Amino acid sequence: MLGWFKKNKNKTKETAAPENDKVVADHTTGIQEKHVEDSAGSTALESDITAHSDVPKEESPAEKSGLLGRLQKSLSKTRKSLVQKLDAVFLGKKNIDAELLDELEEVLITADLGFQTVQDLLEDARAKLKRKELSEPAVLYDTLKEQIYTYLHEAEKPAELVMPDEGPFVIMVLGVNGVGKTTTIGKLAYKFKKSGHNVLLVAADTFRAAAIDQLKIWAERIDVEICAQTPGADPSSVVYDAMDFAQNRDFDVIIIDTAGRLHTKVNLMEELKKIKRVMAKKCRKAPHEVMLVIDATTGQNAISQAREFNKAVDITGLALTKLDGTAKGGIVVNISRELNIPIRFIGIGEKMEDLRDFDPKEFIEALFSK
């Protein structure tokens, strides 16, 4: 859990402010049964959330041993699209010829690995074939698998993200509407809380009233605090007040939600730049992580989105959602190569635990499992 993040063991806890000094939004009382749709299209029953607000315990060793199996199951659509088609290409082939390579190209492109990534894979295969390093199709299959892993591994970055010596670790979360950003923030906060961190959520997506409501529900569900204002408030003001509130309080992590209305791209990007400047003024070196949430089912469009956001605010990490719902999981490989930005998390289901730390080796093992 949170393998990319290291808690600073030397950081001393500060004394929390009295409860009556809170300026966060009050949690709703007397909740009626009402479904609130989140940006990923799922719904949360508020009365059910209230009734099950206790944070689940850490998985037992036996449960952890089944995590790979859950990942394999979640990637079944991608595995069927990619691996089973690869098996069909190689079935009965005794030689590596032009026809085999052409069929491979078609399968890999339809799995959303991207044109350039596929060309690089095949060029590498042809070079090894010339050097007589590939003797039979089975060896080529293993070579493809190893090279895909290499592409993912190359985009990884060392675990440089550690708790700062002073103040909280600040995460600015980006993503267009509909990618599952708010849900990802809630699940990420849950992961941090399970790891023993004190978390503050900040509802700076004031463009959509539902976004604020959804984040409040997540805060109540996992029992963390939230700073929020009314819909339409200036997002930078929300962030400024939240950073003020967090000063001299015992928060380890602050997770800031931002708007994702890409149809007003210029205004949005300027707003994100301003939010980032406000964070830096209130907390040294903040944000420590700028995380973009991407819907894996959008394919190549996800790369275009990432480029636009990266131009504005320098993305440092990615979270890919809905991998369980797409047959084109090759986008994971393509986005790693194209952007050279580490993938921090993958979303593989609706459960709290289904926001998984991304491990390239585990991903390849699950994807190519028989």
Side-chain angles (χ1 to χ4, degrees):
M1 175 182 289
L2 297 168
W4 58 280
F5 180 81
K6 294 180 179 179
K7 185 169 182 177
N8 190 333
K9 301 294 184 182
N10 297 322
K11 182 179 177 183
T12 57
K13 295 284 188 180
E14 296 170 343
T15 305
E19 288 293 312
N20 57 11
D21 284 345
K22 288 183 181 179
V23 295
V24 296
D26 292 334
H27 293 312
T28 306
T29 56
I31 292 175
Q32 302 297 315
E33 286 198 351
K34 180 177 71 172
H35 287 81
V36 178
E37 188 174 357
D38 68 12
S39 58
S42 60
T43 57
L45 185 61
E46 292 188 14
S47 59
D48 185 58
I49 287 173
T50 304
H52 298 86
S53 60
D54 291 338
V55 177
K57 296 179 180 178
E58 184 75 52
E59 293 102 336
S60 68
E63 289 171 328
K64 285 183 178 179
S65 67
L67 289 177
L68 180 60
R70 285 168 55 193
L71 182 57
Q72 290 171 347
K73 184 178 179 181
S74 298
L75 293 175
S76 61
K77 289 184 179 180
T78 295
R79 191 164 64 249
K80 184 177 180 180
S81 174
L82 175 60
V83 179
Q84 290 185 12
K85 288 181 180 178
L86 284 176
D87 290 343
V89 169
F90 283 97
L91 183 64
K93 299 289 174 64
K94 299 185 182 300
N95 299 304
I96 302 172
D97 54 22
E99 181 183 358
L100 174 61
L101 293 176
D102 286 344
E103 290 179 14
L104 268 180
E105 181 177 21
E106 181 180 351
V107 168
L108 294 173
I109 287 177
T110 57
D112 239 353
L113 267 79
F115 179 79
Q116 191 56 54
T117 298
V118 173
Q119 295 309 304
D120 291 345
L121 280 169
L122 295 179
E123 283 180 18
D124 179 72
R126 290 187 180 102
K128 289 182 177 179
L129 193 59
K130 281 185 178 180
R131 296 193 300 266
K132 300 187 184 302
E133 294 177 17
L134 294 178
S135 55
E136 57 187 39
V139 178
L140 174 57
Y141 184 95
D142 290 338
T143 298
L144 288 172
K145 179 179 175 181
E146 290 170 7
Q147 190 59 45
I148 289 172
Y149 165 73
T150 299
Y151 290 158
L152 291 174
H153 183 66
E154 285 174 348
E156 280 193 298
K157 301 284 173 67
E160 298 167 345
L161 298 173
V162 300
M163 184 72 70
D165 292 332
E166 295 180 3
F169 184 82
V170 181
I171 304 175
M172 179 181 181
V173 184
L174 319 171
V176 302
N177 293 338
V179 297
K181 177 163 54 74
T182 307
T183 298
T184 299
I185 289 171
K187 291 179 178 180
L188 179 58
Y190 168 78
K191 288 174 75 72
F192 273 113
K193 174 145 188 181
K194 282 186 71 176
S195 296
H197 299 86
N198 193 15
V199 180
L200 174 67
L201 300 181
V202 181
D205 182 359
T206 59
F207 186 74
R208 292 188 312 118
I212 299 173
D213 293 338
Q214 290 157 19
L215 205 61
K216 287 180 181 179
I217 291 171
W218 274 106
E220 184 168 338
R221 183 179 188 182
I222 57 182
D223 192 25
V224 298
E225 293 192 69
I226 179 171
C227 279
Q229 294 182 17
T230 57
D234 177 41
S236 298
S237 174
V238 176
V239 173
Y240 185 93
D241 289 346
M243 301 299 281
D244 254 357
F245 171 72
Q247 286 184 352
N248 301 319
R249 286 177 169 83
D250 193 23
F251 290 114
D252 298 308
V253 180
I254 299 176
I255 306 176
I256 299 173
D257 188 15
T258 61
R261 54 193 188 282
L262 201 57
H263 56 283
T264 56
K265 184 172 66 178
V266 175
N267 291 341
L268 171 63
M269 297 308 171
E270 290 304 314
E271 178 182 288
L272 294 177
K273 291 177 185 177
K274 184 178 178 183
I275 290 173
K276 192 176 179 183
R277 290 195 299 269
V278 168
M279 289 185 220
K281 288 179 180 178
K282 299 298 291 182
C283 181
R284 192 168 63 90
K285 295 185 179 181
H288 305 94
E289 172 84 343
V290 179
M291 185 177 295
L292 177 66
V293 180
I294 291 176
D295 180 348
T297 65
T298 59
Q300 298 304 306
N301 188 46
I303 294 177
S304 299
Q305 292 174 15
R307 286 197 182 109
E308 292 294 336
F309 280 106
N310 198 34
K311 286 178 188 176
V313 287
D314 296 323
I315 300 164
T316 59
L318 301 170
L320 270 64
T321 63
K322 310 179 191 178
L323 265 177
D324 56 318
T326 181
K328 296 187 175 184
I331 190 63
V332 174
V333 183
N334 194 19
I335 207 165
S336 294
R337 289 213 73 206
E338 287 280 333
L339 302 173
N340 196 32
I341 298 172
I343 298 172
R344 304 295 192 195
F345 303 102
I346 53 174
I348 58 170
E350 298 297 324
K351 296 179 181 178
M352 285 275 209
E353 298 80 6
D354 286 339
L355 182 68
R356 297 281 299 278
D357 288 20
F358 181 69
D359 182 326
K361 186 175 182 180
E362 181 188 59
F363 180 81
I364 292 298
E365 184 179 348
L367 184 61
F368 282 88
S369 62
K370 300 296 185 179

